[in-house]
Amino acid sequence: MKIFDPLGLVMPTKMIGNILFRISLQVIKKEGKGRIPWDECLPESLLGEWMIYFGMLLKLDLVKFVRSFKPDDANPHIDPDLVTFDDGNPDAFGAVAYALWTVMDSTRVARLIMSKVKLAPIVKKGETVRNELNGAIFAARMKAWIMKTSGIKFNKHIPILDSRIVQDMIKKDSYWYNTFAGVRVAEIQTKTNVDDWLHVPSGENIADILTRGAPPSELGPESVGQNGPNWLVQDRSTWPVTDV
């Protein structure tokens, strides 16, 4: 059965199970059992990890989200910014989007809109740069979809990543690359402004909880997962980002 979560609000926890499931299949195959029967028992070494994961799923009932990602006291005269973070590692790639609002007392509030993450293809598993580029594609597509369907007028899109290689790739002409990279770079250039992409240290990239997974305790109302990094609501000059 699947968790009904079309916006990916609890995707970080679900991702723990996705990664664990792939690991379980790989362990069973290494034991030389050929095609895996549907009723094959899990290896003893993984049973404990699965029980911990099932416990996490039960605790998801305790995680609450606000009904609307627009604050009640949002300033009606200032359009919000759309901020996306993306990430890729040897196992997965994904992106998450936040709306950055200015409220009536002139402070800023960030609200989670949605996230999307996917396991890396098993054939290309381990190629981090490919997955970082795939994460950037997710961010670009997410930006286009949100601006088209949300009914919210956004001021600007602020895409953030933690790969300097991909940040530089986006700014070059797509025909310099092979087919895989060229098609993706061209799509990113079409759907976003290449000069808007900002680099952030890996420790500040909230999309990391998507690709590595996170327990329900990291998804609550006051968590970084729902509100974004603390620096996101501060003055832009204090953000730990670079554009070159």
Side-chain angles (χ1 to χ4, degrees):
M1 294 184 295
K2 292 184 177 181
I3 299 173
F4 182 70
D5 183 24
L7 293 179
L9 302 182
V10 297
M11 188 60 78
T13 298
K14 184 182 176 184
M15 199 61 190
I16 294 176
N18 291 349
I19 295 174
L20 188 55
F21 184 68
R22 171 176 282 185
I23 292 173
S24 299
L25 295 180
Q26 291 172 332
V27 170
I28 294 174
K29 285 184 177 180
K30 284 183 179 178
E31 294 178 354
K33 297 183 178 180
R35 187 168 181 172
I36 303 172
W38 69 270
D39 59 348
E40 178 67 29
C41 293
L42 281 169
E44 291 287 338
S45 59
L46 293 172
L47 282 176
E49 293 185 50
W50 274 106
M51 295 306 295
I52 292 173
Y53 174 64
F54 292 147
M56 291 181 187
L57 295 182
L58 294 175
K59 292 178 181 178
L60 284 178
D61 279 345
L62 305 176
V63 180
K64 305 296 181 183
F65 294 88
V66 292
R67 178 70 174 176
S68 171
F69 64 80
K70 180 179 180 180
D72 293 335
D73 57 346
N75 191 324
H77 304 295
I78 302 178
D79 294 330
D81 292 331
L82 177 60
V83 184
T84 58
F85 292 83
D86 64 80
D87 186 44
N89 63 26
D91 295 307
F93 54 88
V96 59
Y98 296 89
L100 187 57
W101 301 88
T102 300
V103 295
M104 295 305 294
D105 63 0
S106 297
T107 59
R108 309 198 84 182
V109 175
R111 290 281 178 86
L112 173 66
I113 301 177
M114 65 177 295
S115 66
K116 183 177 178 64
V117 63
K118 189 175 182 179
L119 285 173
I122 195 68
V123 177
K124 297 293 183 178
K125 185 178 183 299
E127 296 193 12
T128 303
V129 175
R130 290 173 67 103
N131 293 337
E132 290 277 8
L133 183 58
N134 281 330
I137 274 287
F138 270 11
R141 292 173 180 172
M142 190 178 292
K143 172 256 183 179
W145 186 82
I146 291 174
M147 287 193 164
K148 180 179 179 181
T149 63
S150 66
I152 301 292
K153 180 183 177 183
F154 289 95
N155 175 39
K156 59 183 176 180
H157 173 222
I158 306 174
I160 301 175
L161 42 61
D162 63 4
S163 170
R164 289 193 182 276
I165 293 176
V166 174
Q167 184 187 29
D168 286 339
M169 289 176 68
I170 292 171
K171 297 184 178 182
K172 294 181 182 294
D173 292 330
S174 60
Y175 57 76
W176 285 104
Y177 303 109
N178 61 25
T179 302
F180 177 89
V183 169
R184 285 157 178 77
V185 168
E187 183 177 348
I188 293 171
Q189 292 173 343
T190 300
K191 294 181 176 177
T192 66
N193 183 345
V194 297
D195 294 323
D196 289 341
W197 287 80
L198 302 176
H199 176 270
V200 70
S202 296
E204 300 291 343
N205 187 4
I206 187 57
D208 179 65
I209 70 171
L210 289 172
T211 53
R212 63 173 172 79
S217 58
E218 296 184 25
L219 306 180
E222 303 302 323
S223 68
V224 177
Q226 285 200 34
N227 302 322
N230 294 331
W231 49 263
L232 194 58
V233 297
Q234 299 173 2
D235 187 86
R236 170 67 175 81
S237 62
T238 66
W239 288 11
V241 299
T242 54
D243 57 2
V244 224

